[in-house]
Amino acid sequence: MRATRGAARAHIGAVALGAALCAAPALRPGTPWTTVALLAGLHLACELLGRVREVPPGPRRAPGRRASPAGSVGAGTSFPLLLAAAFLLPPPAAALVAVPGSLAGGTGKPPAAARRIWRAAESAVAVWAAARVHTLLGGPAALGSPPDLPYALLPVCAAALAFSVVLAALEGSILLVAEQLPARRAWRGILPRSLAPHLVHGLAGLLMAVLWNSSYGPLAALFVLLPMYISGWVYAQYHREHAAHRATIRALVQAVDIKDTYTRGHSERVGRASVLIAHELGLDRERVEVLRFAGILHDVGKLGVPTRVLRKDGPLTPEERRVIELHPEYGHEIVRGIGFLGEARAAILHHHERLDGSGYPYGLSGRGIPECARIVAVADAFDAMTSTRSYRRGRPVPAAVEELKRCAGTQFDPQMVRALARGLERYGWSGAVTADDAQLPPPRKEPAGPVPAPLSPRPDGPDGQGRR
């Protein structure tokens, strides 16, 4: 651990030294200090505003990781400012613009000093690179009065690309050094995720630079920041709300897992299987997300069931069965006030109904059972059969699918069973899934081999103990 910290500090120091060398020529005569001061002050103001509205960070952020758009409003407005500096100033002077705001901005978590130094260093190097590319392609001449459009777009886009590439390279490098991630994982996805936003920020920076050089002066350029700030604030609000939803669901699932140790991880897998079915049915993105919530929270009502019943090793008595069959109603009562769950609440209440009307709690049948509940019922039974419990071994996936097909039309909706079978054939199945995993794995083909004979369910359903 000490070696890792030492390597991270050395890396941060090396990048900071590089940033200082990039900015050092600005100390020579001829630097437009008024423009530098105005842009640096605006950047500082944006970072301080973002710090006031910063969202607490999630786990495992490396010292060099910037807060996501959810974490800071300032990030949405400061990038156009930094790129405008790259278009308006010589490279050394442009690098200086990023330093005050980065040093004063939010850090999320300690060590604050190292994080601020890293942010300042990587921002300065990225802005210097963008300004250097812009200058080499004749960008300053194209931004004269009047600006040479559309030719000015070429150096601007190239500068934004350089800015994005340098930031991505530095972000990956700190992950590699500080968290010791493999190189393939350290840089994976950073550039593709950031390239398009940085190109948009580059166009906003171009507009600021054109207005700055016009007869309207720097004051007019400030109007570009207002819509950027508002959009960044709205985006941050959306992510705050989404983060709160995820935290609520995570807390409920953890509470169920602690109480019912037999089915630890079951909720997350049912959520993934529900998403698998929803994708095969062609449901829209919003409904897929709701079904993921429904699958993850389908057993939240177990919080109202006595622990001795949930953890009983042997078969349940009729009285214990009646107690455990109350968990869908308990679950519905627990989540009924959580508005963002939508139809997931109906799935939680009705996921033990059967197509032939012999299920519980209300004995609904056929299309009278909500679609979301029919989806979760299939996902729940599939994971219950394929999971190894203390009282029996899990079945192979093909055997579980055959069992679902055998019970289709009486216990399960055949359409949902077919959708799950198609999804499993396309994507395969893995039990190592967390509550935050909403993505499907890349399609893969299952190895050919004999399919085990169907296994008949015990009298109380595919799970065999009624603990679903």
Side-chain angles (χ1 to χ4, degrees), residues 2-36:
R2 289 183 179 177
T4 302
R5 291 199 198 101
R9 290 193 186 100
H11 184 65
I12 292 171
V15 175
L17 178 61
L21 293 175
C22 290
L27 301 178
R28 299 170 185 168
T31 297
W33 288 108
T34 301
T35 303
V36 171

mmCIF file of all heavy atoms in Angstrom, residues 2-36:
data_model
loop_
_atom_site.group_PDB
_atom_site.id
_atom_site.type_symbol
_atom_site.label_atom_id
_atom_site.label_comp_id
_atom_site.label_asym_id
_atom_site.label_seq_id
_atom_site.Cartn_x
_atom_site.Cartn_y
_atom_site.Cartn_z
ATOM 1 N N ARG A 2 1.923 1.267 0.840
ATOM 2 C CA ARG A 2 2.800 2.440 0.853
ATOM 3 C C ARG A 2 3.487 2.634 -0.483
ATOM 4 O O ARG A 2 3.655 3.765 -0.952
ATOM 5 C CB ARG A 2 3.843 2.275 1.960
ATOM 6 C CG ARG A 2 3.270 2.405 3.361
ATOM 7 C CD ARG A 2 4.367 2.292 4.404
ATOM 8 N NE ARG A 2 3.836 2.444 5.744
ATOM 9 C CZ ARG A 2 4.569 2.333 6.850
ATOM 10 N NH1 ARG A 2 5.866 2.072 6.755
ATOM 11 N NH2 ARG A 2 4.010 2.481 8.036
ATOM 12 N N ALA A 3 3.886 1.523 -1.106
ATOM 13 C CA ALA A 3 4.516 1.622 -2.423
ATOM 14 C C ALA A 3 3.558 2.212 -3.433
ATOM 15 O O ALA A 3 3.944 3.027 -4.284
ATOM 16 C CB ALA A 3 4.997 0.243 -2.874
ATOM 17 N N THR A 4 2.265 1.812 -3.341
ATOM 18 C CA THR A 4 1.261 2.353 -4.259
ATOM 19 C C THR A 4 1.082 3.844 -4.053
ATOM 20 O O THR A 4 1.022 4.620 -5.008
ATOM 21 C CB THR A 4 -0.083 1.624 -4.046
ATOM 22 O OG1 THR A 4 0.109 0.230 -4.260
ATOM 23 C CG2 THR A 4 -1.136 2.138 -5.005
ATOM 24 N N ARG A 5 0.995 4.266 -2.776
ATOM 25 C CA ARG A 5 0.849 5.698 -2.501
ATOM 26 C C ARG A 5 2.068 6.459 -3.002
ATOM 27 O O ARG A 5 1.939 7.552 -3.568
ATOM 28 C CB ARG A 5 0.686 5.922 -0.993
ATOM 29 C CG ARG A 5 -0.623 5.430 -0.421
ATOM 30 C CD ARG A 5 -0.879 6.096 0.921
ATOM 31 N NE ARG A 5 -1.869 5.367 1.674
ATOM 32 C CZ ARG A 5 -1.606 4.531 2.669
ATOM 33 N NH1 ARG A 5 -0.341 4.329 3.033
ATOM 34 N NH2 ARG A 5 -2.553 3.907 3.318
ATOM 35 N N GLY A 6 3.253 5.910 -2.778
ATOM 36 C CA GLY A 6 4.468 6.583 -3.235
ATOM 37 C C GLY A 6 4.510 6.702 -4.744
ATOM 38 O O GLY A 6 4.892 7.749 -5.283
ATOM 39 N N ALA A 7 4.106 5.660 -5.446
ATOM 40 C CA ALA A 7 4.080 5.714 -6.910
ATOM 41 C C ALA A 7 3.067 6.747 -7.397
ATOM 42 O O ALA A 7 3.330 7.481 -8.358
ATOM 43 C CB ALA A 7 3.752 4.331 -7.470
ATOM 44 N N ALA A 8 1.908 6.814 -6.722
ATOM 45 C CA ALA A 8 0.892 7.793 -7.123
ATOM 46 C C ALA A 8 1.401 9.218 -6.903
ATOM 47 O O ALA A 8 1.206 10.091 -7.757
ATOM 48 C CB ALA A 8 -0.398 7.559 -6.335
ATOM 49 N N ARG A 9 2.050 9.446 -5.758
ATOM 50 C CA ARG A 9 2.581 10.794 -5.501
ATOM 51 C C ARG A 9 3.658 11.152 -6.520
ATOM 52 O O ARG A 9 3.718 12.290 -7.004
ATOM 53 C CB ARG A 9 3.171 10.853 -4.082
ATOM 54 C CG ARG A 9 2.139 10.790 -2.972
ATOM 55 C CD ARG A 9 2.767 11.186 -1.634
ATOM 56 N NE ARG A 9 1.837 11.008 -0.544
ATOM 57 C CZ ARG A 9 1.832 9.967 0.284
ATOM 58 N NH1 ARG A 9 2.733 9.013 0.120
ATOM 59 N NH2 ARG A 9 0.956 9.879 1.250
ATOM 60 N N ALA A 10 4.505 10.195 -6.847
ATOM 61 C CA ALA A 10 5.550 10.465 -7.836
ATOM 62 C C ALA A 10 4.941 10.774 -9.201
ATOM 63 O O ALA A 10 5.407 11.670 -9.914
ATOM 64 C CB ALA A 10 6.488 9.255 -7.936
ATOM 65 N N HIS A 11 3.899 10.054 -9.542
ATOM 66 C CA HIS A 11 3.234 10.299 -10.829
ATOM 67 C C HIS A 11 2.589 11.681 -10.856
ATOM 68 O O HIS A 11 2.711 12.419 -11.834
ATOM 69 C CB HIS A 11 2.193 9.215 -11.065
ATOM 70 C CG HIS A 11 1.518 9.304 -12.403
ATOM 71 N ND1 HIS A 11 2.189 9.113 -13.592
ATOM 72 C CD2 HIS A 11 0.239 9.589 -12.740
ATOM 73 C CE1 HIS A 11 1.349 9.253 -14.602
ATOM 74 N NE2 HIS A 11 0.156 9.548 -14.115
ATOM 75 N N ILE A 12 1.900 12.015 -9.770
ATOM 76 C CA ILE A 12 1.273 13.343 -9.692
ATOM 77 C C ILE A 12 2.345 14.427 -9.766
ATOM 78 O O ILE A 12 2.176 15.441 -10.459
ATOM 79 C CB ILE A 12 0.451 13.461 -8.391
ATOM 80 C CG1 ILE A 12 -0.761 12.538 -8.453
ATOM 81 C CG2 ILE A 12 -0.003 14.906 -8.169
ATOM 82 C CD1 ILE A 12 -1.516 12.429 -7.145
ATOM 83 N N GLY A 13 3.450 14.214 -9.056
ATOM 84 C CA GLY A 13 4.534 15.197 -9.100
ATOM 85 C C GLY A 13 5.121 15.349 -10.488
ATOM 86 O O GLY A 13 5.430 16.468 -10.927
ATOM 87 N N ALA A 14 5.263 14.239 -11.217
ATOM 88 C CA ALA A 14 5.825 14.310 -12.573
ATOM 89 C C ALA A 14 4.907 15.077 -13.502
ATOM 90 O O ALA A 14 5.357 15.914 -14.304
ATOM 91 C CB ALA A 14 6.064 12.899 -13.101
ATOM 92 N N VAL A 15 3.594 14.820 -13.406
ATOM 93 C CA VAL A 15 2.645 15.539 -14.265
ATOM 94 C C VAL A 15 2.592 17.017 -13.869
ATOM 95 O O VAL A 15 2.510 17.907 -14.728
ATOM 96 C CB VAL A 15 1.252 14.888 -14.187
ATOM 97 C CG1 VAL A 15 0.229 15.696 -14.990
ATOM 98 C CG2 VAL A 15 1.312 13.454 -14.713
ATOM 99 N N ALA A 16 2.660 17.310 -12.558
ATOM 100 C CA ALA A 16 2.671 18.704 -12.113
ATOM 101 C C ALA A 16 3.919 19.427 -12.618
ATOM 102 O O ALA A 16 3.846 20.604 -13.029
ATOM 103 C CB ALA A 16 2.599 18.762 -10.586
ATOM 104 N N LEU A 17 5.056 18.741 -12.604
ATOM 105 C CA LEU A 17 6.272 19.336 -13.142
ATOM 106 C C LEU A 17 6.123 19.610 -14.637
ATOM 107 O O LEU A 17 6.537 20.676 -15.130
ATOM 108 C CB LEU A 17 7.458 18.402 -12.897
ATOM 109 C CG LEU A 17 8.813 18.867 -13.456
ATOM 110 C CD1 LEU A 17 9.225 20.198 -12.834
ATOM 111 C CD2 LEU A 17 9.886 17.799 -13.210
ATOM 112 N N GLY A 18 5.522 18.663 -15.351
ATOM 113 C CA GLY A 18 5.275 18.886 -16.774
ATOM 114 C C GLY A 18 4.367 20.079 -17.018
ATOM 115 O O GLY A 18 4.599 20.871 -17.938
ATOM 116 N N ALA A 19 3.336 20.227 -16.177
ATOM 117 C CA ALA A 19 2.438 21.371 -16.314
ATOM 118 C C ALA A 19 3.183 22.676 -16.058
ATOM 119 O O ALA A 19 2.972 23.684 -16.757
ATOM 120 C CB ALA A 19 1.270 21.225 -15.342
ATOM 121 N N ALA A 20 4.071 22.679 -15.056
ATOM 122 C CA ALA A 20 4.844 23.882 -14.760
ATOM 123 C C ALA A 20 5.756 24.255 -15.931
ATOM 124 O O ALA A 20 5.897 25.443 -16.274
ATOM 125 C CB ALA A 20 5.672 23.668 -13.492
ATOM 126 N N LEU A 21 6.362 23.266 -16.559
ATOM 127 C CA LEU A 21 7.217 23.536 -17.715
ATOM 128 C C LEU A 21 6.397 24.074 -18.891
ATOM 129 O O LEU A 21 6.879 24.925 -19.647
ATOM 130 C CB LEU A 21 7.951 22.260 -18.117
ATOM 131 C CG LEU A 21 8.985 21.739 -17.106
ATOM 132 C CD1 LEU A 21 9.554 20.402 -17.570
ATOM 133 C CD2 LEU A 21 10.111 22.766 -16.927
ATOM 134 N N CYS A 22 5.173 23.573 -19.036
ATOM 135 C CA CYS A 22 4.309 24.073 -20.111
ATOM 136 C C CYS A 22 3.942 25.540 -19.891
ATOM 137 O O CYS A 22 3.865 26.325 -20.844
ATOM 138 C CB CYS A 22 3.029 23.230 -20.193
ATOM 139 S SG CYS A 22 3.270 21.548 -20.797
ATOM 140 N N ALA A 23 3.684 25.906 -18.621
ATOM 141 C CA ALA A 23 3.226 27.267 -18.330
ATOM 142 C C ALA A 23 4.362 28.247 -18.124
ATOM 143 O O ALA A 23 4.152 29.473 -18.172
ATOM 144 C CB ALA A 23 2.338 27.241 -17.080
ATOM 145 N N ALA A 24 5.587 27.789 -17.904
ATOM 146 C CA ALA A 24 6.708 28.681 -17.566
ATOM 147 C C ALA A 24 6.960 29.775 -18.591
ATOM 148 O O ALA A 24 7.227 30.936 -18.212
ATOM 149 C CB ALA A 24 7.971 27.847 -17.354
ATOM 150 N N PRO A 25 6.871 29.508 -19.916
ATOM 151 C CA PRO A 25 7.119 30.591 -20.884
ATOM 152 C C PRO A 25 6.173 31.769 -20.765
ATOM 153 O O PRO A 25 6.463 32.853 -21.287
ATOM 154 C CB PRO A 25 6.970 29.889 -22.229
ATOM 155 C CG PRO A 25 7.299 28.459 -21.956
ATOM 156 C CD PRO A 25 6.754 28.209 -20.593
ATOM 157 N N ALA A 26 5.038 31.606 -20.078
ATOM 158 C CA ALA A 26 4.101 32.725 -19.921
ATOM 159 C C ALA A 26 4.677 33.836 -19.065
ATOM 160 O O ALA A 26 4.164 34.968 -19.079
ATOM 161 C CB ALA A 26 2.798 32.208 -19.302
ATOM 162 N N LEU A 27 5.736 33.534 -18.286
ATOM 163 C CA LEU A 27 6.336 34.560 -17.432
ATOM 164 C C LEU A 27 7.174 35.560 -18.223
ATOM 165 O O LEU A 27 7.579 36.586 -17.686
ATOM 166 C CB LEU A 27 7.207 33.891 -16.358
ATOM 167 C CG LEU A 27 6.462 32.910 -15.431
ATOM 168 C CD1 LEU A 27 7.438 32.282 -14.451
ATOM 169 C CD2 LEU A 27 5.341 33.636 -14.698
ATOM 170 N N ARG A 28 7.424 35.244 -19.496
ATOM 171 C CA ARG A 28 8.163 36.198 -20.323
ATOM 172 C C ARG A 28 7.269 37.360 -20.719
ATOM 173 O O ARG A 28 6.042 37.263 -20.676
ATOM 174 C CB ARG A 28 8.670 35.496 -21.584
ATOM 175 C CG ARG A 28 9.622 34.326 -21.303
ATOM 176 C CD ARG A 28 9.883 33.536 -22.563
ATOM 177 N NE ARG A 28 10.691 32.348 -22.301
ATOM 178 C CZ ARG A 28 10.878 31.367 -23.171
ATOM 179 N NH1 ARG A 28 10.305 31.443 -24.377
ATOM 180 N NH2 ARG A 28 11.622 30.329 -22.850
ATOM 181 N N PRO A 29 7.871 38.491 -21.128
ATOM 182 C CA PRO A 29 7.065 39.655 -21.548
ATOM 183 C C PRO A 29 6.167 39.287 -22.736
ATOM 184 O O PRO A 29 6.498 38.450 -23.572
ATOM 185 C CB PRO A 29 8.111 40.702 -21.938
ATOM 186 C CG PRO A 29 9.344 40.286 -21.207
ATOM 187 C CD PRO A 29 9.318 38.802 -21.140
ATOM 188 N N GLY A 30 5.022 39.980 -22.817
ATOM 189 C CA GLY A 30 4.117 39.796 -23.945
ATOM 190 C C GLY A 30 2.889 38.975 -23.636
ATOM 191 O O GLY A 30 1.991 38.854 -24.479
ATOM 192 N N THR A 31 2.806 38.409 -22.459
ATOM 193 C CA THR A 31 1.623 37.610 -22.100
ATOM 194 C C THR A 31 0.439 38.535 -21.829
ATOM 195 O O THR A 31 0.571 39.504 -21.068
ATOM 196 C CB THR A 31 1.912 36.758 -20.847
ATOM 197 O OG1 THR A 31 2.959 35.841 -21.140
ATOM 198 C CG2 THR A 31 0.676 35.991 -20.420
ATOM 199 N N PRO A 32 -0.738 38.275 -22.436
ATOM 200 C CA PRO A 32 -1.931 39.125 -22.205
ATOM 201 C C PRO A 32 -2.554 38.816 -20.843
ATOM 202 O O PRO A 32 -3.539 38.079 -20.740
ATOM 203 C CB PRO A 32 -2.856 38.739 -23.353
ATOM 204 C CG PRO A 32 -2.458 37.355 -23.722
ATOM 205 C CD PRO A 32 -0.999 37.241 -23.450
ATOM 206 N N TRP A 33 -1.977 39.404 -19.822
ATOM 207 C CA TRP A 33 -2.393 39.055 -18.469
ATOM 208 C C TRP A 33 -3.837 39.426 -18.158
ATOM 209 O O TRP A 33 -4.491 38.772 -17.331
ATOM 210 C CB TRP A 33 -1.460 39.709 -17.453
ATOM 211 C CG TRP A 33 -0.107 39.078 -17.417
ATOM 212 C CD1 TRP A 33 1.058 39.594 -17.878
ATOM 213 C CD2 TRP A 33 0.200 37.776 -16.903
ATOM 214 N NE1 TRP A 33 2.099 38.707 -17.692
ATOM 215 C CE2 TRP A 33 1.601 37.580 -17.092
ATOM 216 C CE3 TRP A 33 -0.542 36.764 -16.312
ATOM 217 C CZ2 TRP A 33 2.246 36.409 -16.699
ATOM 218 C CZ3 TRP A 33 0.097 35.601 -15.917
ATOM 219 C CH2 TRP A 33 1.470 35.437 -16.118
ATOM 220 N N THR A 34 -4.382 40.437 -18.809
ATOM 221 C CA THR A 34 -5.782 40.806 -18.552
ATOM 222 C C THR A 34 -6.717 39.684 -18.976
ATOM 223 O O THR A 34 -7.632 39.287 -18.227
ATOM 224 C CB THR A 34 -6.137 42.091 -19.313
ATOM 225 O OG1 THR A 34 -5.272 43.146 -18.884
ATOM 226 C CG2 THR A 34 -7.589 42.486 -19.039
ATOM 227 N N THR A 35 -6.486 39.156 -20.170
ATOM 228 C CA THR A 35 -7.312 38.046 -20.650
ATOM 229 C C THR A 35 -7.130 36.811 -19.785
ATOM 230 O O THR A 35 -8.097 36.106 -19.453
ATOM 231 C CB THR A 35 -6.966 37.721 -22.111
ATOM 232 O OG1 THR A 35 -7.132 38.893 -22.910
ATOM 233 C CG2 THR A 35 -7.846 36.607 -22.650
ATOM 234 N N VAL A 36 -5.870 36.536 -19.395
ATOM 235 C CA VAL A 36 -5.598 35.388 -18.520
ATOM 236 C C VAL A 36 -6.356 35.530 -17.207
ATOM 237 O O VAL A 36 -6.998 34.585 -16.731
ATOM 238 C CB VAL A 36 -4.084 35.260 -18.253
ATOM 239 C CG1 VAL A 36 -3.813 34.205 -17.178
ATOM 240 C CG2 VAL A 36 -3.342 34.908 -19.528
#
